[in-house]
Amino acid sequence: MYTLFNFAVINYSPKILFKMKNLLLALLTLMVASSTRAQTKEDIYSNTQITWLGCDFTQLKFIGGAAQFKDAGEISNRDLRMKYFPGWNNLFVKEQKKYNVAEAVDRNTVEFAIDVTDAANDNSTGPYFTDNSGDYQLLSAEKVASLVSKYDFKGHKGLGMMFFVEGMSKDKVEASMWVTFVNMSQKKVLLTKRVTGTTGGFGFRNYWAKGLYNGLQETQHNLRKWK
């Protein structure tokens, strides 16, 4: 008994079948290209899906010590890396209504892949603490682009968004970071801008978390201006 497929094969000439095969291959190629096409800066302002990658603290310079916070005591570089970096990063996932990345980029939702920056932070060594106030803002757009070009995005594709946190200063009462949009497939920066966030609150963790929160608010306030 012939199936419909057998019938189709029998009744089409090899020349027609060859053309049909090429058409199918072209359609498949188009579908793949559409799903993996290179993101551009314009995608930041469209409805293109954004993946929040978290906060990269590998370049952080913390001006002064942590002993000024009674709940902190003497915090080592390892304490920052093992406890506070993942704690601050998780706020964007666990407290999404407050640290509302989707709202900041004019989306209904965003995807989350903080494993990307968690891995980078885990592999960093510091030193993070410094007494030199001149170390507060050491990054530049060029330096951010260089960091992104070498980044391990853990197989994630598409349009990514992250913070490169460069400084935390108690004297200035603020944190400084570069909000960065990237084409993860090409490891290319699409847009990066320095934002600062006023700090405040009770306890070491919350005090600096407020700076990250306000950095996100400044991003939302300025995003359309950067277009």
Side-chain angles (χ1 to χ4, degrees):
M1 180 181 291
Y2 291 113
T3 64
L4 289 175
F5 177 76
N6 296 138
F7 180 81
V9 171
I10 291 173
N11 286 274
Y12 285 118
S13 68
K15 188 174 182 180
I16 293 177
L17 287 172
F18 180 76
K19 289 182 177 180
M20 291 175 65
K21 180 181 178 181
N22 285 343
L23 179 60
L24 285 172
L25 287 174
L27 288 172
L28 286 172
T29 301
L30 181 61
M31 290 173 64
V32 171
S34 296
S35 62
T36 60
R37 72 175 181 82
Q39 275 67 46
T40 65
K41 181 179 177 181
E42 286 68 31
D43 289 311
I44 300 171
Y45 301 96
S46 69
N47 61 355
T48 301
Q49 179 66 57
I50 287 180
T51 301
W52 170 251
L53 303 173
C55 300
D56 179 299
F57 296 100
T58 63
Q59 309 303 307
L60 172 67
K61 293 301 179 184
F62 189 98
I63 313 300
Q68 55 198 304
F69 296 88
K70 293 181 180 180
D71 70 316
E74 291 296 335
I75 295 179
S76 67
N77 285 288
R78 186 178 187 278
D79 292 331
L80 272 182
R81 183 176 68 254
M82 301 299 291
K83 179 179 179 181
Y84 291 100
F85 291 171
W88 288 323
N89 230 354
N90 280 328
L91 289 172
F92 291 84
V93 178
K94 294 181 177 180
E95 299 184 28
Q96 293 181 34
K97 289 185 178 180
K98 179 177 180 180
Y99 296 82
N100 199 329
V101 178
E103 185 176 71
V105 293
D106 195 24
R107 300 296 199 278
N108 292 324
T109 61
V110 295
E111 294 183 356
F112 291 87
I114 65 170
D115 60 307
V116 171
T117 49
D118 277 342
N121 294 330
D122 287 345
N123 290 325
S124 66
T125 58
Y128 311 110
F129 293 99
T130 175
D131 292 323
N132 183 0
S133 60
D135 289 338
Y136 177 54
Q137 292 180 321
L138 296 181
L139 289 185
S140 64
E142 292 74 21
K143 176 63 174 177
V144 170
S146 177
L147 292 169
V148 169
S149 70
K150 303 169 186 174
Y151 223 87
D152 181 3
F153 290 104
K154 303 295 181 182
H156 295 287
K157 306 294 183 182
L159 179 58
M161 175 187 178
M162 61 201 301
F163 278 163
F164 282 96
V165 185
E166 62 179 341
M168 292 179 169
S169 172
K170 185 66 161 56
D171 289 339
K172 293 181 179 296
V173 197
E174 70 177 23
S176 181
M177 65 217 77
W178 287 77
V179 55
T180 305
F181 295 88
V182 300
N183 177 329
M184 292 186 283
S185 300
Q186 296 183 346
K187 297 187 177 184
K188 178 182 177 182
V189 171
L190 303 178
L191 175 69
T192 187
K193 294 288 185 178
R194 173 182 280 149
V195 295
T196 58
T198 303
T199 52
F202 178 78
F204 183 82
R205 171 184 173 274
N206 292 336
Y207 185 89
W208 298 108
K210 185 65 176 295
L212 300 175
Y213 168 82
N214 283 327
L216 188 62
Q217 295 301 301
E218 185 173 336
T219 298
Q220 181 178 358
H221 179 72
N222 289 296
L223 189 60
R224 289 291 169 183
K225 298 177 183 179
W226 296 333
K227 189 174 183 179

